[in-house]
Amino acid sequence: MSTPGRLEHQLDVTYRYFSHHIRTCTSVVVAMLDVVAEGLTDDSMTAMIMESGYLLDIYDRGMSVCFNHILGKTHETEIEQVDIGHLLELYIKNAVSEETPAEIIHNIEGMHLRCDAYSFKSIFQILCQEGLASAKKQLRINRSGSTLSISPDNGFNEVQQIFEIFAEVLKKSGIIMEFDKTSITLRFTDESIDS
Amino acid sequence: MKVLIADDELRLRKVVSLHLKKSGFDVFEAGNGQQAVDMAKEISPDVIVLDVMMPEKTGLEACAELKGDELFKDTPVILLTAMAESEDIKKGKEAGADEYLTKPFSPKELIDMIKSRF
């Protein structure tokens, strides 16, 4: 059980992190709708609205996962098999702008994981988004045995305080998340992983 | 009139730039706080728009650095932020910001705010 000081800190970190991202994505949609209203749209602008909408959904789910964890709310955990390669492809297709300067290089096709799917899917995509935001030219997502690493070429801009909360959430699924300025690693139990 | 806009979110930068250009401004874009400071020194903008939460240097740090420079002490700085609480507004004012716009904002609000400065 968290002490009141720690609880307040974790709530504040979560609120600030998600508020920033949700409000930024909403700003893109609001500003784009003004452009649409003036009939100045093209495919890239429509894509930006869709990408921001997809990210809004991920951040909303991530926020709910974190608040539920911090407040100790029990939810019915659905242990499902997640195709991580497919999840990454979905993220790239729906959330990554064609204008993003960095490219995602990975070797996780066919990697499957049994876990609390709702939490994992949200957090994994948010970590990819953090990695991509930091990467200059390349974001590497590599599997080595039962470990997956997310490494932007120049390291992360910042070791976000929210990462500690993500690590606590993932730990409940038996996933060990470790992070520093250069990379984030997710270590899975051998029996949960399959490819 | 030259407007420098700094935000690490590429999509937001692009769409706000589009609105500003349509209103007749010359727009320059920076992807983080340090880039904003460097670019300001290079182009001497008439207005600087800074997101608060940016890598390498936050908008608050960039604002404080620019406002502490004789060259930019009179250049209006508008902070874009998700943090609407009074404590955050206080930090913005301490950093020397002239205006504060809370996300999500309408580009028209930003344009009106810029125009009201001249």
Side-chain angles (χ1 to χ4, degrees):
Chain A
M1 186 72 180
S2 287
T3 61
R6 178 172 154 77
L7 180 67
E8 191 179 328
H9 171 73
Q10 288 196 317
L11 289 172
D12 187 56
V13 165
T14 303
Y15 164 69
R16 284 180 179 270
Y17 180 83
F18 286 105
S19 172
H20 170 74
H21 288 292
I22 288 173
R23 283 171 178 264
T24 297
C25 290
T26 308
S27 295
V28 176
V29 175
V30 168
M32 273 299 167
L33 290 177
D34 277 7
V35 178
V36 172
E38 291 174 29
L40 294 171
T41 47
D42 62 23
D43 287 349
S44 72
M45 292 179 199
T46 312
M48 281 194 220
I49 296 178
M50 291 169 75
E51 289 153 13
S52 296
Y54 187 83
L55 288 170
L56 271 172
D57 182 50
I58 293 174
Y59 285 123
D60 182 62
R61 288 165 190 254
M63 182 172 66
S64 131
V65 164
C66 289
F67 278 135
N68 282 340
H69 164 72
I70 295 165
L71 297 172
K73 287 191 180 175
T74 49
H75 68 290
E76 213 167 291
T77 305
E78 285 198 33
I79 303 296
E80 284 175 35
Q81 180 154 282
V82 177
D83 179 337
I84 306 181
H86 179 65
L87 180 61
L88 179 62
E89 289 305 330
L90 262 184
Y91 162 76
I92 294 170
K93 179 179 161 217
N94 293 311
V96 180
S97 163
E98 281 185 5
E99 294 188 46
T100 302
E103 170 186 23
I104 300 178
I105 311 282
H106 71 93
N107 68 347
I108 59 172
E109 294 95 351
M111 181 178 182
H112 295 84
L113 174 73
R114 284 190 64 76
C115 63
D116 170 5
Y118 188 85
S119 302
F120 179 78
K121 284 180 180 174
S122 317
I123 292 176
F124 176 71
Q125 291 182 89
I126 291 171
L127 294 178
C128 291
Q129 181 67 10
E130 281 290 337
L132 196 61
S134 299
K136 304 285 184 236
K137 288 184 181 165
Q138 270 187 2
L139 171 65
R140 289 197 167 273
I141 302 178
N142 280 336
R143 177 190 179 180
S144 172
S146 55
T147 301
L148 187 150
S149 62
I150 300 171
S151 316
D153 47 3
N154 267 28
F156 283 90
N157 290 325
E158 194 180 343
V159 176
Q160 301 276 358
Q161 289 181 304
I162 194 81
F163 290 174
E164 286 176 22
I165 297 167
F166 291 163
E168 288 180 12
V169 174
L170 293 177
K171 198 175 173 187
K172 287 182 178 169
S173 276
I175 301 166
I176 305 299
M177 175 179 156
E178 291 172 326
F179 49 89
D180 59 24
K181 194 91 166 87
T182 58
S183 67
I184 291 172
T185 58
L186 302 176
R187 205 166 61 244
F188 310 106
T189 56
D190 288 339
E191 58 273 20
S192 69
I193 199 160
D194 168 42
S195 57
Chain B
M1 188 188 297
K2 287 188 274 190
V3 179
L4 168 61
I5 175 159
D7 197 305
D8 57 331
E9 169 55 48
L10 174 76
R11 283 170 278 251
L12 185 59
R13 221 164 60 220
K14 292 284 167 209
V15 68
V16 172
S17 291
L18 181 74
H19 281 281
L20 291 171
K21 283 176 188 165
K22 211 165 62 62
S23 295
F25 298 106
D26 289 328
V27 186
F28 298 83
E29 296 177 29
N32 62 54
Q34 185 57 53
Q35 231 178 52
V37 171
D38 295 341
M39 202 176 272
K41 289 176 181 169
E42 196 179 315
I43 62 166
S44 298
D46 299 291
V47 179
I48 301 169
V49 182
L50 299 169
D51 180 33
V52 169
M53 280 177 74
M54 285 191 290
E56 294 190 31
K57 196 165 267 178
T58 67
L60 291 174
E61 289 164 345
C63 178
E65 185 173 336
L66 289 167
K67 284 293 192 176
D69 184 326
E70 193 61 26
L71 281 174
F72 301 106
K73 70 177 174 48
D74 297 323
T75 306
V77 173
I78 300 170
L79 288 179
L80 299 179
T81 183
M83 299 176 281
E85 292 165 16
S86 57
E87 179 64 20
D88 301 315
I89 293 173
K90 192 175 151 217
K91 281 182 191 164
K93 285 187 176 152
E94 280 168 4
D98 298 275
E99 302 271 9
Y100 216 85
L101 203 50
T102 306
K103 291 178 180 179
F105 58 93
S106 144
K108 189 176 177 301
E109 264 181 281
L110 175 62
I111 290 164
D112 288 347
M113 198 176 262
I114 293 173
K115 286 182 174 166
S116 74
R117 286 266 149 195
F118 296 92

